[in-house]
Amino acid sequence: MSLFASLPHLVRRQRASLAATLIAPPAALAVAIVLNLILYMIMGRDPLAVLHAMVLEPFLSWASFSEVLLKTGPLLLIAQGLAIGFRAKVFNIGAEGQFILGAIFASAIPVWFPQATGGWIWPVMLLLGAIGGALWASITAFWRVRLNANEILVSLMLSLVAAQFLYYLLLGPWKDPAGFNFPQSVMFQYDAMVPTLIAGTRLNVSILIALALSIVAWVFMEKSFMGYKLQVGGLAPRAAGYAGFKESRAIWLSLLIGGFAAGLAGAAEVAGPLGQLQRSISTGYGYAAIIVAYLGALHPIGIIISSVVMAVIYIGGDNAMVSANLPIAAVRVFQGSLLLAYLIAVAFVRYRLEWPAQTSAKGSTP
Amino acid sequence: MTTPLLSLRGISKSYGPIKANQEIDLDVAENSIHAILGENGAGKSTLMKLIYGVEQPDGGTAVWQGEPLHLASPAEARRRGIGMVFQHFSLFETLTVVENIRLVVPGRKAELTERIRTLGRDFGLEVDPLAHVHALSVGERQRVEIIRCLMTNPKLLILDEPTSVLPPQLVEKLFDTLRRLRDGGVSILFISHKLEEIRAICDRATILRGGRVTGHVDPREHDAHDLARMMIGRDMPEPMPAVATEGGDKQLEIIGLSYTPDDPFAVPLSDITLSVRAGEILGIAGISGNGQSELAGLISGETVLGREQHDRIFMMGKDVGQLPAAARRKLGFAFVPEDRLGRGAVPEMSLVMNSLLTAHSLKLVNGGLVDKSRATAFTNDCIRDYDVRTPGPEAEAGALSGGNLQKFIVGREIMLAPKLLFVAQPTWGVDIGAASAIRRRLIALRNEGMAILVISEELEELFELSDTIQVLHHGTLSQPLVTRDTKAEEIGRYMIGASPMKASA
């Protein structure tokens, strides 16, 4: 027989075991760490020093751990929103753009009313940001429902448009007149900033909002009928059609929720650690959140854990760049290999390898 | 007695805890038509897969023409002279007949074309070798499958439920072909659960029940009743008598409906007219692929008519052509689709969550949140009342056998207490006992005044159930035929398009 016939093939398991489902993410993380350490060795770095900088240091001081939590906030928010859509098989890949629009919408208040004061400002900014993200996502939903335009492509390309729109604002109408021609807005007034949670750190209230919304997401997906309808649409679209659950509604809802959460995260970022609208408001949160969502098995609780893991990789990667002289691409490579390892792990949760039967051994049992 | 062609001793096969075949003994003689008779789930398919090399047995011996037989693959089986025609055809629709055959049989196209014609003449398997498969009827496709097997000169031909896709007239023709093949030196293993057919054509019959052989008989010496008892292990339940009812309100009426689907391979419907009254069962006969799924989608609301199509479909007296599925259900419509997994049920979800799919209207949702305890109670009722064999309400729908899942879906839809119930293929893959329970239940509901529409491929079933039968063929529906004044042959004529020209195609 040919070579092809002697290779093992994937056979679908009768059902995935819960244990395997739970083990897959940490196993993927372990594999990704080992692979990357080998890579660092090949690059001539001391793997133990990198490991120390990346994995341990973020936990060693309160200052660096508060930075981990600070990064966790936007990742957690975006990933919770995206996961709801992913479970409905609506693939919003454009959270990055929705994040940017959220940041822009939120910035409108301090940019247009820099003198305004009052405790209402930052909540209104967050709300505006969420609305901005949802509006941006609604463009994708509209074309998907109207013309069946693929939401992956539309949302992804709209992210590039959003970035250009941001640059236009920063180079033109919203440029800080006293900013030495740097492409950034005015610094926001005090009331336009999300209150800090712990004095001496940059950690602010938005992490609590993210955790609260995680609980809301859990109730929505696990307890509500609407969340149930979304899951049916994702698992068995024809069953959704049979039951009369509208696909268009699932698409709208998924994208609006994803856009709302990403926009909120964008608003919290400019009204939090940044304090102004800049070119580099996002370090790829919108894309990293996709990995976070899947690493958390699209489950609200899992995502809380995976968003911390991803934040550690961000902070640890920054540390390693400084202390172990790693290139800036190292963090991206780590994220990429983590996603890849996870996808392979998940494949083995649902499938098993089967080697071709040893023909001589079987069939002749007495 | 001469050496049998194929001889099995003590063949066993298990899938995990399920013993699909236990200690099977079977002798197939040369030049014979041998029936394997059993209910769904009796182990017929597993046994054929073992003989054809798709699967390997856990134990037992097989002897082929006096020599030990160990098959690793169907390709090896074909080399040894064993061919098989599956119930579901494996032909490429966009290729011609001869191109399909060339994928398996080596040879020049012209030469193969000639051999196809010769085989066709010799065995009554006429088919145009240059025709595209998508343009062929189901009967012709089956002939192509048989020809493809015959091209490899088999000594044994396995046919899996070959008559399930054929109208009565073509069944006779197939039997003629099979007799000619037998006389030409090919033995045939004929798998079926239709007793009359087996009595009509088979020389020997082996009966399976629960994975074991329960008898080797000459089917011509037993009547259908005997065979049925051997097959199901008890007497057949009596059908439920239908009470004569006054025609109630028209709960479903379709008037002059024509519809061309977007999918080029789907069947366009033309000028469909039918009506179902309260207290009446209308059966739609016909071979699958004649527009059944298109019609079902239009009735269920999974397909909606365009705005220009007014007054075509009425439910409970309302024009519903443009209404989506959910709105039709609100009017009192319930539907059991022909495919259970992925449409009638979500395989990855528990039965409780699958109850919710359509029964959410029975207050299983409270303030937007799922009322888990009520949903579980509903599911338990359904499992108990419809004899669904499952470890419990939390079992995944995909883990249930086809028949049990069908009982669950039928039960769920009946528990909605609809005014109009539409059931497509009510008993596909359901064992005889459960099938008869489902049919009794449908007749009882009819007697209580429900309007019921049934689409089925099984004529016997429609004759047992329906007050009126209409036949769907090539997207057109025959006039209504009152069941008690109609013979099966008459239905059969409509099933192949009535005119003698088409009947020979």
Side-chain angles (χ1 to χ4, degrees), chain A residues 87 227-236, chain B residues 345-354 356-357 393-399:
Chain A
R87 285 181 78 172
Y228 166 80
K229 287 182 176 180
L230 287 180
Q231 290 184 48
V232 171
L235 288 169
Chain B
V346 184
E348 297 90 343
M349 284 186 171
S350 69
L351 291 180
V352 175
M353 287 295 134
N354 272 298
L356 216 52
L357 200 59
E394 289 300 329
E396 278 185 23

Side-chain angles (χ1 to χ4, degrees), chain A residues 285-322:
Chain A
Y285 288 132
Y287 302 116
I290 299 170
I291 307 175
V292 171
Y294 277 103
L295 213 54
L298 303 184
H299 190 281
I301 310 297
I303 290 170
I304 294 178
I305 299 167
S306 63
S307 59
V308 176
V309 170
M310 186 58 82
V312 168
I313 295 172
Y314 265 107
I315 301 296
D318 281 350
N319 289 343
M321 275 194 306
V322 179

Side-chain angles (χ1 to χ4, degrees), chain A residues 223 225 228 238-239 242 359 365, chain B residues 58 72 335 339 342 353 368 370:
Chain A
K223 300 286 170 197
F225 188 50
Y228 166 80
R238 288 170 62 242
Y242 158 77
T359 54
T365 329
Chain B
D58 301 332
F335 172 40
D339 14 34
M353 287 295 134
V370 174

Side-chain angles (χ1 to χ4, degrees), chain B residues 242-265:
Chain B
V243 182
T245 52
E246 288 287 302
D249 295 338
K250 280 184 186 168
Q251 304 291 42
L252 173 68
E253 188 168 22
I254 300 181
I255 305 167
L257 169 67
S258 297
Y259 180 75
T260 309
D262 293 335
D263 179 354
F265 286 108

